Amino acid sequence: MQTELSRKLGVEHAVFGFTPFPAVAAAISRAGGFGVLGAVRYTAPDDLKRDLDWIEAHVDGRPYGLDVVMPAKKVEGVTEADVEAMIPEGHRKFVQDTLAKFGVPELAEGEASGWRITGWMEQVARTQLDVAFDYPIRLLANALGSPPADVVARAHDRGVLVAALAGSARHARKHQEAGIDVVVAQGYEAGGHTGEIASMVLTPEVVDAVDPLPVLAAGGIGSGQQVAAALALGAQGVWLGSIWLTTTEADLHSPALTRKLLAAGSGDTVRSRALTGKPARQLRTEWTEAWDDPGGPGTLPMPLQGLLVAEAVSRIQKHEVEPLLGTPVGQIVGRMTAERSVQAVLDDLTRGFERAVDRINRIAGRSGRS
């Protein structure tokens, strides 16, 4: 599964694996793919440094990358406290009432919520880059459009490729104009923030729009046959996120959540603004249903919604309140039916890819693998 882009980065398979877990990122790279660590949860630079040190020690010299969340335009002088003050009291009450309805216990006294959306704020992302550029990362991806021009220049000065996610050909062309090196075409089926266009339609549109820039296909991909399809559509690789959530190296800290993921079908996800304020595909739960109920107050825009629900999400996760317990995940969750190692996932992808290529060769009247 090699392409021009994978050869340029020195990886065996054109499989780019996004994950919040250092152990998964390192395992993907060791298995011949390209691990990409998600940095959004690292609000303390020392924590990111610790985990990048760990990856360096466990990646066996293989290449890897980092994914940040940075707006292209900077908003000056806005602090987290300023944003918190914008949250209406009615929304705070709705959160407390919903938690009380399902009997969600409080956090222990003095215990801070484990997840906050401050990683979406530019000043936090810049501190992450100050740390990351001291490491030999080969790719910097941004999940919120093109990063600021000075960040692109800073990456290029260090020989780091810059990637950005796009949900339409129009977005992809903007990335190209901003000097981005790789466009990730993320379809509607993907976990997390997605647009409205399905991968089968989106991938060739983006490939044509930004030619000759390399494109990675994302959204609903979890088999070797789908990898082959993505390359047939013109992509130079695939960007996979959800499939790693149920690997043995993933550290979800929640047996109940793992059980829910393994039991879920492809129809058990929903695009909801409940987590961040922007449409993000996640498991459908009583929590998403409450926020999407027309009788409720409705979600707030980003980043207000993320700050509003941060403590609630931490309480739900810590106490494993199953009716409310969820996570961002794509429609590929229906194929995630057993816990497997990262190596086993890569092996399955390569075998499925070979079978798909053989099948097409037979249809085309050829023999052997190409």
Side-chain angles (χ1 to χ4, degrees), residues 73 107 124 148 174 188 197 218 261-264 273 303 318 369:
K73 296 180 180 178
L107 295 175
V124 176
K174 288 185 177 180
Y188 173 83
I197 305 172
L261 287 169
L262 295 175
R273 298 176 184 267
K318 177 179 179 179
R369 295 189 178 109

Side-chain angles (χ1 to χ4, degrees), residues 29-161:
S29 290
R30 287 198 309 272
F34 189 96
V36 181
L37 179 66
V40 70
R41 66 189 179 95
Y42 293 97
T43 56
D46 286 347
D47 291 341
L48 178 59
K49 183 179 187 305
R50 177 202 63 216
D51 283 354
L52 288 175
D53 283 340
W54 191 93
I55 289 177
E56 273 292 296
H58 292 83
V59 81
D60 294 348
R62 304 292 183 91
Y64 62 94
L66 191 76
D67 179 279
V68 297
V69 182
M70 296 187 74
K73 296 180 180 178
K74 186 175 183 178
V75 179
E76 299 283 356
V78 178
T79 67
E80 183 180 343
D82 295 331
V83 177
E84 288 266 17
M86 301 176 190
I87 298 174
E89 284 303 316
H91 282 73
R92 295 186 189 276
K93 184 177 185 303
F94 179 76
V95 169
Q96 294 306 317
D97 289 348
T98 303
L99 295 177
K101 177 181 176 182
F102 288 91
V104 182
E106 299 276 355
L107 295 175
E109 186 175 351
E111 183 179 3
S113 60
W115 178 85
R116 294 185 71 76
I117 204 166
T118 48
W120 293 83
M121 301 177 75
E122 182 183 346
Q123 60 266 35
V124 176
R126 285 186 177 274
T127 64
Q128 294 166 350
L129 294 179
D130 290 340
V131 172
F133 283 139
D134 287 335
Y135 292 82
I137 62 171
R138 296 293 308 280
L139 179 76
L140 174 67
N142 189 42
L144 200 63
S146 303
D150 69 294
V151 171
V152 175
R154 189 177 174 190
H156 287 167
D157 286 346
R158 288 162 173 78
V160 177
L161 298 182

Side-chain angles (χ1 to χ4, degrees), residues 1 224-225 228 349-359 369:
M1 297 193 292
Q225 294 91 328
L349 290 172
T350 55
R351 285 193 296 265
F353 178 83
E354 290 174 352
R355 288 195 298 270
V357 171
D358 284 347
R359 186 181 306 119
R369 295 189 178 109

Side-chain angles (χ1 to χ4, degrees), residues 4 14 27 40 86 103 125 133 170 182 203 209 230 252 254 301 325 332 367:
E4 183 181 348
V40 70
M86 301 176 190
F133 283 139
R170 178 175 60 85
V182 180
T203 300
L252 286 178
S254 174
L325 187 62
I332 198 63
S367 61

